[in-house]
Amino acid sequence: VNPAGPAGDELAERLMRLVRDVPDFPLPGVLFKDIMPLLADGPTLAAVVDHIVGAHRAADFHVVAGIEARGFLLAGPIAYAAGCGVVAIRKAGKLPGRVLSTSYQLEYGEGVLELQRAALAPGQRVLLVDDVLATGGTMAAALALIASAGAVVAGVAVLIELIDLAGRERLPMDVAALLSV
Ligand code: AMP
């Protein structure tokens, strides 16, 4: 599922170079994929953003939704490059006003994601973005939130998919990953 063609291969190689593996962070046993060096590299950030916009252009999205917090760092530039707006899917208690909430399983306990009720119009087509797809719980919760707002998920994009955790098998739709490791 790496992007097809030489341009996609080259981009995947740059991601491999610029994403840092951090063992035992934030918990023992987790191999954390640190995308900060990639985000700090201007040409690579631009190439990633352009690639994601190009790959989803035909899906005709009207807005980009980013998942807190690293998803925000991608959603903003993707929305700007695509000429559309951005909405935030946040952890519980961060968004003012009326919100939609969905809880999901974390490794230990439960997480809650929220979306402002007024953020998405019914039928609006959303490109959903995050940095890493691991077990898929976070993405599944975000998809459920968008559905409960009556909006339509036009596409799901992540930088990195952790294949062994089989996140995509938990999701009702395809995920475009720049790098599958
Ligand atoms: P999951 O719900 O298990 O798919 O986890 C995905 C969410 O947790 C994303 O928002 C990621 O930012 C974060 N995450 C999970 N595992 C990792 C990892 N190994 N490296 C970096 N971020 C991760």
Side-chain angles (χ1 to χ4, degrees), residues 3-27:
D9 286 346
E10 200 262 334
L11 194 53
E13 270 168 33
R14 275 156 83 173
L15 259 68
M16 287 211 277
R17 238 185 7 256
L18 288 169
V19 174
R20 197 166 62 107
D21 283 354
V22 185
D24 299 318
F25 181 87
L27 296 170

Side-chain angles (χ1 to χ4, degrees), residues 30-33 68 70 130-138 162:
V30 176
L31 182 62
F32 188 81
K33 296 285 181 186
E68 184 168 359
R70 289 178 297 276
D130 203 2
D131 62 336
V132 173
L133 180 71
T135 66
T138 305
L162 305 178

Side-chain angles (χ1 to χ4, degrees), residues 110-172:
E110 206 179 61
V112 176
L113 287 182
E114 293 183 343
L115 171 71
Q116 285 174 312
R117 274 184 186 272
L120 294 173
Q124 204 173 7
R125 294 179 65 79
V126 183
L127 176 63
L128 178 59
V129 178
D130 203 2
D131 62 336
V132 173
L133 180 71
T135 66
T138 305
M139 197 60 86
L143 288 170
L145 272 181
I146 293 169
S148 67
V152 176
V153 180
V156 180
V158 298
L159 296 187
I160 305 161
E161 167 191 21
L162 305 178
I163 304 171
D164 288 351
L165 297 178
R168 70 169 58 241
E169 283 158 33
R170 291 183 58 177
L171 302 178

